[in-house]
Amino acid sequence: MAERTVTSSAEWKQAIAEKAGVTLEEIDAVLDDHDIRPQSVFPRTRRLRVRSVRFGGIKHGETQRFEFLWEGLDRGLWGIFSGGNSKGKSSIINIIRCALQGRFPGDLKADIWKWLDAAEVTISIDEVQYSIALTKDAGSENVEDASARLERGEDPAAVIYDGKASKAFEQAMSDLFTDELGFDRIHAFHKGNDAIVEHGWPAMSSALFIRGPGGALFGEQVVDGLPIRLVQWFIGLPWISTYTAAAAAEKRLSETKRKQGVSRAAIAERTKSRVGALQSELDGYKGELEKLPDRQRLRRRLIDLDRFIAITQADVTASRAARDEAGTIFGLAKDSWNEARRAYQQAKDDAEAGYVFRRLKPRCCPACEADLNTRFKADEVDICGLCGTSDPDAPEGNGIDLSFLKDAVADAAANAAACEARATQTSDTFRDASQELGKLAKELEGIQRELSVPDQADELSRKVAITEALIKELSGEESEDAPTNADEIATRTDVHAILKAVEKVTKALMEQTQAETLKNVGDALLDYSVRLGVQNLESMTLHSNKLEIKQGGADETFSKLSPGENLRVRVALALSVVSVARASGVGRHPGLLVLDSPGSQEMASEFASLMGSLGDVIKDEPELQIIIGAVHRPEIEGVVPASNRKQAFDEERLF
């Protein structure tokens, strides 16, 4: 039975309902659950053009600010040329790419990114101008320190984004081109991680830039069949995003069902092994958690220590004062005791000195040295040899009373001993208080050191909770996601049937226009490839999954082309997509193509030869804007008008 023609989204849903044998309400529910949106309308081509490029900054080791300005760009062929490599061509092109994608620093070299303090790229979509600006400090390497701004129109300009040059800015740029150019997303299912991935503006915009030979026929990524998908997308085929979303959803559900069909014994064995591994991890987490200090107890002890230290500090201060006071009193008492002793000793010495003097028996007069023997009798007489008086009493009997001085010495000694005991006691008290304060301070320091270490308890507790939940789920205690009855299994089978119907119906719609359009692209690709210098080509046929090449009587593939042929075919395909879209009046290619010459000397020469051929080809596409960056060679002379060039001669740099 032939499929009837579908011309609208409503008819598309009706065809799916008939094929799957379900209601439109069920169709809507499945489409909503899997974010599948019909895209039946042919797109309207819009023109994207780079209007100006400005950037500046300060190079490492220099103080003078450099600035690059290129303005007045429009349709046609524009060139950035230099006398050699590493003169700034690729950096200018990469700044354009970063601005269009909202990704800084992107492919910019680290030193260029570090030098920059400002960059602004002005573009237009049809006749509406947009300004993409970046500012940061020269020398800064952190993208989080950079600010970005996106404005629409001029005098006055509407600010679309103003903030950090982060993922939010990248999303703002993606939203802009998605809305303005009518772009959507291409979906693909990755079996390895059971995920549906979306390729949006970053992947699509990469098709506007060609940087020498590459593994991808169109764009820069070979995964998920993106090269052909992007060709289909840019030439304006409807239903592309719908088909890729439906196919990805169907593959994911098929993979889910396949996994559900695996032997339960094998699942149980894997589950058991996984639970064992998780249990080991859980034991390890708990063991680490037990080794951690009790931070709540330490904080409580910290509060107590603060109070104890305050009290002990007061005791230390008081005992120090008491010690100092007792020491002072002891010193005074000791001085008094010593003074009493000296007074007592002096009195004794004075008395004894008098006695000794009186006991002297001089033989001559100390004044005249006259002999005094006549004054003494032969027998010893207790008389004074000078004055003749009888011998006085001994010192203790001389009438001087020294008992009060002796008592004073005893009293002073007793008082000094008491003061010394008091000084010793207060000194011991101060020492004990100081030692206690030291112990408390040391304990405080230890607790503070323990608390200063980052707390791993929360992270370990989180891991414990997650691991316990995983063990619980794997052990079968939580199985809400598994089909539990025949009705639920039947429902899931219906979803799969609906998704297969969506994929089949949408693919048929896409293929209604695809065959003829891809044939036109293949014909244009052959023509442009020959005109760009690919030799011995006989035919080129573009299918929905590959490119067939007949060259010199032999079958060839894109991956086996020489680097020069690879580059020329990639450029030719980009031109073919634009040409076919223009001829059909539909398409999503915005008419911008940026070519950057490879760094190798051999490929730079190949690139220059390609540019020489490109001069005539560009005449077929007057609305196309092509920006090329290349080492200047004779082949380029006359291809790019002098007014359309930014050029540095010999050893000069472009900025």
Side-chain angles (χ1 to χ4, degrees):
M1 179 178 176
E3 300 284 349
R4 66 185 181 86
T5 302
V6 175
T7 58
S8 68
S9 298
E11 291 179 322
W12 171 69
K13 290 183 182 180
Q14 186 61 46
I16 295 169
E18 292 175 3
K19 183 173 287 293
V22 295
T23 65
L24 290 176
E25 289 76 11
E26 290 175 297
I27 296 294
D28 287 335
V30 172
L31 295 178
D32 290 342
D33 286 345
H34 295 83
D35 195 25
I36 301 173
R37 300 185 298 273
Q39 186 208 41
S40 59
V41 179
F42 284 94
R44 177 174 70 87
T45 301
R46 300 199 175 192
R47 294 299 177 193
L48 167 65
R49 288 183 183 139
V50 176
R51 295 295 186 176
S52 67
V53 182
R54 178 196 294 269
F55 59 87
I58 301 175
K59 296 182 180 181
H60 179 68
E62 298 184 7
T63 57
Q64 178 117 13
R65 186 177 186 274
F66 71 86
E67 183 158 335
F68 175 87
L69 174 62
W70 194 18
E71 53 189 0
L73 283 80
D74 203 340
R75 64 186 181 180
L77 193 58
W78 300 78
I80 308 168
F81 302 120
S82 66
N85 290 317
S86 301
K87 304 299 182 183
K89 303 181 303 298
S90 296
S91 296
I92 297 169
I93 289 174
N94 284 333
I95 285 175
I96 297 173
R97 182 184 177 110
C98 289
L100 292 181
Q101 293 185 339
R103 288 180 171 181
F104 284 97
D107 293 329
L108 277 174
K109 289 179 61 184
D111 56 347
I112 304 295
W113 169 248
K114 189 173 182 178
W115 296 347
L116 284 180
D117 62 15
E120 182 179 14
V121 176
T122 303
I123 64 171
S124 65
I125 300 177
D126 286 348
E127 297 306 318
V128 180
Q129 178 171 304
Y130 293 87
S131 173
I132 308 152
L134 173 98
T135 57
K136 72 177 189 66
D137 293 333
S140 173
E141 300 178 78
N142 188 358
V143 71
E144 290 297 324
D145 296 333
S147 298
R149 187 178 179 89
L150 172 63
E151 296 181 352
R152 182 181 190 273
E154 51 185 337
D155 299 327
V159 178
I160 299 176
Y161 179 87
D162 190 3
K164 289 186 175 182
S166 59
K167 284 289 184 183
F169 175 55
E170 182 181 339
Q171 185 61 50
M173 294 303 301
S174 179
D175 292 343
L176 169 67
F177 289 108
T178 298
D179 294 340
E180 293 293 335
L181 300 181
F183 281 11
D184 204 337
R185 290 172 174 78
I186 295 174
H187 301 77
F189 174 68
H190 284 185
K191 185 176 179 180
N193 54 6
D194 282 349
I196 293 178
V197 297
E198 296 181 346
H199 299 284
W201 172 244
M204 294 171 181
S205 62
S206 69
L208 308 180
F209 295 82
I210 298 178
R211 297 184 285 192
L217 177 63
F218 195 69
E220 294 183 345
Q221 300 183 46
V222 297
V223 297
D224 303 328
L226 268 180
I228 296 298
R229 288 283 179 255
L230 289 176
V231 170
Q232 294 170 326
W233 183 261
F234 276 105
I235 60 179
L237 291 181
W239 300 106
I240 294 296
S241 64
T242 307
Y243 171 70
T244 58
E250 191 279 327
K251 288 178 181 177
R252 182 170 66 175
L253 190 57
S254 294
E255 180 65 13
T256 301
K257 291 185 68 176
R258 184 192 68 79
K259 289 183 177 181
Q260 290 177 348
V262 177
S263 167
R264 291 188 178 275
I267 294 176
E269 184 62 31
R270 287 199 300 271
T271 301
K272 181 179 178 181
S273 175
R274 179 60 178 152
V275 168
L278 288 172
Q279 187 62 52
S280 297
E281 291 181 15
L282 180 61
D283 294 341
Y285 294 147
K286 288 183 175 179
E288 291 180 37
L289 198 56
E290 290 175 357
K291 295 177 183 177
L292 294 179
D294 186 346
R295 300 179 80 87
Q296 290 186 349
R297 180 188 63 78
L298 291 177
R299 290 190 183 96
R300 290 195 299 269
R301 179 59 180 167
L302 204 58
I303 294 172
D304 291 339
L305 284 175
D306 285 338
R307 179 164 52 85
F308 294 155
I309 286 175
I311 294 172
T312 307
Q313 183 63 58
D315 292 343
V316 169
T317 301
S319 62
R320 182 189 292 112
R323 181 202 64 180
D324 294 344
E325 181 183 2
T328 301
I329 293 173
F330 172 58
L332 294 173
K334 193 173 181 181
D335 290 344
S336 298
W337 178 43
N338 288 332
E339 185 62 31
R341 290 168 61 196
R342 281 195 298 272
Y344 176 61
Q345 187 64 40
Q346 184 65 43
K348 283 179 63 179
D349 289 346
D350 289 346
E352 289 176 353
Y355 174 73
V356 169
F357 185 74
R358 288 190 294 272
R359 293 291 294 174
L360 291 175
K361 294 182 176 62
R363 300 298 180 183
C364 63
C365 178
C368 63
E369 297 185 357
D371 189 8
L372 298 179
N373 286 334
T374 56
R375 294 187 61 91
F376 295 96
K377 297 180 179 180
D379 297 329
E380 191 68 29
V381 181
D382 292 329
I383 60 173
C384 178
L386 291 178
C387 62
T389 59
S390 60
D391 187 30
D393 295 334
E396 293 298 330
N398 61 2
I400 299 175
D401 187 3
L402 301 180
S403 61
F404 76 95
L405 290 176
K406 189 175 182 180
D407 293 340
V409 170
D411 292 342
N415 183 50
C419 291
E420 182 180 17
R422 174 61 180 165
T424 301
Q425 179 185 2
T426 55
S427 179
D428 291 344
T429 302
F430 171 72
R431 183 199 62 215
D432 294 342
S434 298
Q435 290 176 349
E436 180 64 20
L437 181 62
K439 287 195 294 184
L440 293 173
K442 187 174 182 180
E443 183 180 357
L444 177 68
E445 181 182 354
I447 292 176
Q448 289 176 332
R449 187 165 50 250
E450 287 190 76
L451 291 177
S452 66
V453 177
D455 189 6
Q456 297 178 335
D458 290 343
E459 178 65 17
L460 287 173
S461 298
R462 186 183 67 82
K463 289 181 178 179
V464 166
I466 291 174
T467 308
E468 287 178 340
L470 287 173
I471 291 174
K472 186 177 181 182
E473 182 177 1
L474 289 172
S475 298
E477 296 179 18
E478 295 180 1
S479 55
E480 297 177 359
D481 293 335
T484 55
N485 53 59
D487 292 338
E488 187 174 356
I489 295 173
T491 299
R492 292 195 175 192
T493 303
D494 288 343
V495 170
H496 192 207
I498 291 171
L499 288 176
K500 287 184 72 67
V502 172
E503 180 189 12
K504 188 170 183 179
V505 170
T506 308
K507 184 178 181 180
L509 292 174
M510 185 180 67
E511 289 176 344
Q512 287 178 4
T513 55
Q514 176 176 260
E516 182 179 355
T517 306
L518 289 183
K519 181 181 183 306
N520 294 336
V521 174
D523 293 342
L525 176 60
L526 175 63
D527 178 50
Y528 280 127
S529 296
V530 171
R531 293 168 66 182
L532 291 178
V534 182
Q535 302 295 316
N536 303 320
L537 281 179
E538 299 175 19
S539 67
M540 301 183 84
T541 306
L542 188 63
H543 298 283
S544 60
N545 60 349
K546 64 179 179 178
L547 172 65
E548 291 182 352
I549 302 173
K550 197 81 168 179
Q551 186 180 32
D555 294 330
E556 191 61 271
T557 61
F558 174 73
S559 62
K560 293 183 179 180
L561 294 175
S562 69
E565 292 173 333
N566 176 295
L567 173 60
R568 294 171 191 269
V569 169
R570 295 186 75 208
V571 175
L573 181 56
L575 294 171
S576 302
V577 169
V578 174
S579 176
V580 170
R582 176 185 55 78
S584 66
V586 297
R588 299 181 180 84
H589 200 292
L592 172 66
L593 188 59
V594 183
L595 310 177
D596 188 13
S597 68
S600 68
Q601 189 70 18
E602 178 184 352
M603 283 309 303
S605 176
E606 184 74 40
F607 192 82
S609 175
L610 170 62
M611 292 304 101
S613 304
L614 191 61
D616 294 331
V617 174
I618 192 65
K619 296 175 184 177
D620 295 342
E621 298 298 334
E623 293 300 316
L624 189 63
Q625 182 186 43
I626 299 181
I627 301 173
I628 61 177
V631 173
H632 185 272
R633 290 180 177 273
E635 298 93 325
I636 298 175
E637 239 2 278
V639 177
V640 181
S643 60
N644 290 10
R645 300 182 191 176
K646 270 289 184 181
Q647 186 160 326
F649 297 96
D650 299 325
E651 295 303 316
E652 293 180 352
R653 296 184 60 86
L654 286 158
F655 60 87

